[in-house]
Amino acid sequence: MLMRTDPFREIDRLAEQFFGTAARPAMMHLDAYRDGDHFYAAFDLPGVDPDSIDCTVERNVLTVRAERSRPAGDGVELVAAERPMGTFTRQLFLGDTLDTDKLEAGYENGVLTLRIPVAERAKPRRVSIQANGAARREINA
């Protein structure tokens, strides 16, 4: 069996993942965290027109699409083109513990921030323990 090896294949794969290609720009970077009763997702989208951002939730899949385009016109001459352009898409699978009906989104300083409350059923609650038919004490569940 003949096997060809490419010592730079992994480097090329990482470079395409980080920088993207002309046909498929690099993905948008994300920070996700929980603070109290809310889950946050912050996407880096510098230079993106807020009107080009589309955020949808279908079942438990959050999809964020954004487009960044180059200046166009008759007098525009492209001297350098290093920033990735095109349509960027990122999907997140959200757990059942989040209340996606109350999702809020804001775009400021090139960062799209989504705020999703934790569902009431997912919050810690106290459970009473019955001993001999009477409530005796409560524990956290």
Side-chain angles (χ1 to χ4, degrees):
M1 179 158 108
L2 178 64
M3 291 184 65
R4 292 181 5 178
T5 60
D6 181 1
F8 301 106
R9 182 181 65 204
E10 192 64 21
I11 294 172
D12 290 341
R13 186 189 66 77
L14 289 172
E16 284 180 11
Q17 183 179 2
F18 184 72
F19 297 114
T21 64
R24 188 182 63 81
M27 71 173 160
M28 56 187 89
H29 296 281
L30 158 79
D31 282 342
Y33 56 94
R34 180 176 173 173
D35 184 11
D37 290 339
H38 289 87
F39 175 81
Y40 294 88
F43 298 88
D44 279 348
L45 296 171
V48 171
D49 180 9
D51 293 333
S52 77
I53 300 172
D54 183 36
C55 182
T56 60
V57 177
E58 185 176 341
R59 296 191 184 180
N60 286 355
V61 179
L62 168 72
T63 303
V64 177
R65 279 191 183 82
E67 185 174 347
R68 181 170 46 216
S69 55
R70 298 196 191 287
D74 292 336
V76 175
E77 178 185 351
L78 189 62
V79 176
E82 296 179 354
R83 298 181 337 151
M85 298 290 162
T87 302
F88 302 85
T89 303
R90 184 82 186 254
Q91 288 187 320
L92 296 179
F93 295 95
L94 305 175
D96 292 332
T97 60
L98 299 175
D99 189 355
T100 57
D101 292 335
K102 296 180 181 172
L103 186 143
E104 298 173 2
Y107 183 71
E108 187 175 338
N109 297 327
V111 178
L112 173 68
T113 303
L114 305 178
R115 181 178 183 244
I116 311 166
V118 174
E120 286 297 321
R121 67 183 176 276
K123 293 179 183 176
R125 62 190 183 286
R126 294 189 85 55
V127 176
S128 63
I129 299 174
Q130 303 239 344
N132 298 328
R136 200 173 118 219
R137 64 178 180 163
E138 294 182 351
I139 62 170
N140 287 326

